[in-house]
Amino acid sequence: MVIDLTQDSDSEQQPQRTKSLFPYPRWSLASSVPLKRKPESSPDELSLGSTPNNLTISRPSASTPAVHTSSPPPLHNVSKAVSVVIPSPSRRLKHEIEKAGWTKSSLSRTTSPITGLSTKYYPTDDIERRAARAAHPRAKRVNRKDVPLSIGNPGAILTRNPPNGSWNFDLQLRSSLKRKLSLIKGPRVSLAAGDGKLLEGFASDVEFINQDKLHKNVHQVDESFNAGCACGDVCNPTRCGCLSQEVDSDDLIIPYQRAEDDPELWVLTPNFLKRTSMIFECTSRCGCDENCWNRVVQRGRTVRLEIFHTGNRGFGLRSPDRIRAGQFIDCYLGEVITEESADLREDLAISQNKHSYLFSLDFLVDDENTYVVDGQKFGSPTRFINHSCNPNCKMFPVSWNHGDSRLFDLAFFSLRDIPPMTEFTFDYNPTWEGSKKVDPSAVKCLCGEKNCRGQLWPTQRKGMK
């Protein structure tokens, strides 16, 4: 039997087909009408499997006539060998197939299930995409057996056997901290002996910097607003234009004097130590050089420092050197951020019950545009100076960009002579005038001094006022 499917093609060469009232498809009787067929081994035939009737499908050729009938053959006359003639698609049908938006092959390549909406215009997987962008990159899969092992020359730590069969974790932490501390400019900053677990948190929490890091929304004033004095090679304290004036007077405020036991050392005057004033130092715009007596903070730290653990008050800071009264110790450094960013960081620190390292630069201005220094992640060793109600240090604002009222340095000076290895302390809230009644929302004071207030400040952030 031959089943002719050529009538399903829309080719213009096909004859017009009449509609049959019989519900079955048209049949061609191979037994009643002899047909020319290709050999059964022809590659044009498509075998449909081993069936009892040996059904095969053949494409017609120009020499292969097809005879159709409008009625199905009797079942007893159906030949056991059935052939189906498949027509070649017309050019129009081929064009429609190629133009189709989806095919069976394209569906097999689709990784996501088909939905009624286009994810291009209706991103139903938007949450998954955002999560994928925020996810950490996947680690590369490496076949370890294919990687050659290269040991090289062992260092000093590998020449010794580890104690108790394991590496000294405290020694590794100290090595990491020593590398960080070596990046600090100036005299040596060291770390005293301490607990390994405490060192672990300390090593991962802070990176030391040598100057403030200004965030993108923090801007310095234009250079045209800054100026310097015209004193010459040596500044004259009686007429230096960088110095500030006394209130209701033309007298200049002179912040520095020579130390009594060291003429090369400049310290704050006893009168200035009692003030709450800003120090205006000479700058590179002045006529004087870098050795000017009014450039103390700019020349940097001159004393050695040591970070140590105090016990109940965490880490502290001290110096193996003798410190004179009024001597500059170091600056408080950190990230300079906006007031809005500082509010978010402060709320986060309070919610996590962590310490705050925020200092508002509010000495000259106090509004919503005030900048804040955060020394939590990036800072200097002075971030470890603890509070005391009877402090031996004091923080002073220092400016050498006199036209900028929002950016200046925070410098620590000693209030009195400090013996070697004595902890540095300063008052976190020097303008506090509260009662002796402890505020339940305030931070508890642990200084242990006789005049201890029992509390520090009702909020986490510290300021200059």
Side-chain angles (χ1 to χ4, degrees):
M1 177 187 296
V2 176
I3 301 175
D4 188 2
L5 301 182
T6 58
Q7 297 298 327
D8 293 336
S9 174
D10 60 350
S11 174
E12 292 81 354
Q13 288 78 14
Q14 297 295 336
Q16 186 68 23
R17 184 173 57 182
T18 59
K19 184 177 181 180
S20 175
L21 299 177
F22 196 75
Y24 295 99
R26 299 179 185 271
W27 295 81
S28 177
L29 296 180
S31 59
S32 59
V33 181
L35 297 176
K36 294 181 180 180
R37 298 191 184 90
K38 294 181 179 180
E40 294 183 357
S41 61
S42 174
D44 291 337
E45 293 183 355
L46 176 63
S47 175
L48 298 181
S50 299
T51 61
N53 296 327
N54 296 326
L55 177 66
T56 60
I57 300 175
S58 303
R59 296 186 180 274
S61 62
S63 62
T64 304
V67 179
H68 304 278
T69 180
S70 60
S71 59
L75 297 179
H76 62 275
N77 292 331
V78 176
S79 174
K80 293 184 179 181
V82 180
S83 297
V84 180
V85 180
I86 300 178
S88 299
S90 63
R91 286 183 297 176
R92 179 181 177 184
L93 183 57
K94 289 181 179 180
H95 178 70
E96 291 181 357
I97 293 175
E98 295 175 355
K99 189 178 178 181
W102 59 272
T103 60
K104 183 177 180 181
S105 59
S106 64
L107 289 177
S108 62
R109 295 191 299 267
T110 304
T111 58
S112 60
I114 301 178
T115 62
L117 299 177
S118 173
T119 57
K120 179 179 179 181
Y121 303 101
Y122 301 93
T124 57
D125 56 345
D126 182 62
I127 297 178
E128 290 78 3
R129 291 181 181 180
R130 293 171 58 187
R133 288 195 301 266
H136 293 285
R138 295 183 178 180
K140 291 184 177 180
R141 292 186 177 181
V142 180
N143 191 357
R144 297 297 179 184
K145 65 180 182 180
D146 296 335
V147 179
L149 180 61
S150 178
I151 299 178
N153 296 325
I157 192 173
L158 296 178
T159 59
R160 303 189 304 269
N161 292 328
N164 301 326
S166 62
W167 296 110
N168 192 333
F169 188 60
D170 182 73
L171 181 62
Q172 295 182 17
L173 289 174
R174 290 183 180 278
S175 176
S176 175
L177 288 174
K178 184 178 180 180
R179 177 190 58 81
K180 289 185 176 183
L181 295 175
S182 64
L183 301 177
I184 304 176
K185 295 180 180 180
R188 181 173 179 264
V189 179
S190 59
L191 181 70
D195 188 11
K197 294 182 179 180
L198 297 174
L199 293 177
E200 179 181 1
F202 171 77
S204 60
D205 283 348
V206 60
E207 291 289 338
F208 294 105
I209 56 178
N210 293 294
Q211 62 181 6
D212 289 325
K213 296 173 65 69
L214 304 184
H215 276 219
K216 61 180 181 180
N217 293 326
V218 177
H219 307 286
Q220 295 177 310
V221 299
D222 190 85
E223 183 62 23
S224 60
F225 288 92
N226 295 314
C229 65
C231 296
D233 295 338
V234 179
C235 282
N236 188 343
T238 61
R239 61 181 179 86
C240 180
C242 294
L243 302 178
S244 59
Q245 293 182 346
E246 295 279 5
V247 180
D248 300 330
S249 174
D250 294 336
D251 296 338
L252 299 179
I253 301 177
I254 303 174
Y256 299 118
Q257 67 177 16
R258 294 184 185 273
E260 296 181 355
D261 58 344
D262 188 353
E264 299 297 327
L265 180 65
W266 292 89
V267 297
L268 289 180
T269 64
N271 182 33
F272 198 93
L273 286 174
K274 300 176 183 179
R275 292 176 177 266
T276 304
S277 302
M278 174 174 282
I279 303 174
F280 292 93
E281 291 193 348
C282 291
T283 69
S284 59
R285 309 171 192 89
C286 301
C288 56
D289 58 17
E290 60 182 8
N291 295 321
C292 177
W293 60 269
N294 196 27
R295 295 195 187 188
V296 175
V297 176
Q298 293 178 60
R299 285 195 291 269
R301 175 172 52 88
T302 60
V303 298
R304 294 176 296 169
L305 298 176
E306 183 181 75
I307 303 171
F308 72 104
H309 197 265
T310 63
N312 62 339
R313 292 177 292 111
F315 285 97
L317 188 67
R318 60 192 179 189
S319 174
D321 303 327
R322 172 176 171 264
I323 308 298
R324 283 82 167 176
Q327 184 173 353
F328 169 63
I329 298 175
D330 201 358
C331 285
Y332 188 89
L333 302 177
E335 301 173 89
V336 183
I337 58 179
T338 61
E339 187 82 11
E340 181 181 2
S341 299
D343 292 339
L344 297 176
R345 295 190 181 189
E346 187 174 30
D347 294 340
L348 180 62
I350 293 175
S351 63
Q352 296 179 351
N353 196 23
K354 292 184 178 180
H355 297 290
S356 172
Y357 296 87
L358 299 172
F359 265 97
S360 295
L361 301 179
D362 57 353
F363 189 82
L364 297 177
V365 293
D366 189 6
D367 53 29
E368 60 181 7
N369 295 323
T370 301
Y371 294 146
V372 181
V373 180
D374 185 8
Q376 181 176 5
K377 293 297 183 181
F378 299 89
S380 61
T382 56
R383 70 189 295 276
F384 300 106
I385 299 182
N386 289 313
H387 163 82
S388 176
C389 296
N390 183 26
N392 54 19
C393 297
K394 184 177 180 179
M395 177 184 287
F396 286 90
V398 181
S399 173
W400 55 66
N401 294 320
H402 304 159
D404 198 340
S405 59
R406 300 185 184 278
L407 289 174
F408 49 85
D409 287 340
L410 304 176
F412 285 99
F413 291 84
S414 59
L415 291 174
R416 54 182 178 266
D417 291 343
I418 302 177
M421 306 306 289
T422 301
E423 182 184 2
F424 296 138
T425 58
F426 78 105
D427 195 341
Y428 285 3
N429 190 9
T431 60
W432 182 79
E433 296 179 355
S435 62
K436 294 183 179 180
K437 184 179 180 180
V438 178
D439 188 344
S441 63
V443 178
K444 184 178 180 180
C445 180
L446 301 174
C447 68
E449 297 288 343
K450 294 181 179 179
N451 63 334
C452 180
R453 308 191 278 261
Q455 57 186 339
L456 300 184
W457 65 97
T459 60
Q460 288 279 316
R461 192 178 312 178
K462 298 174 279 293
M464 300 301 300
K465 293 185 177 181

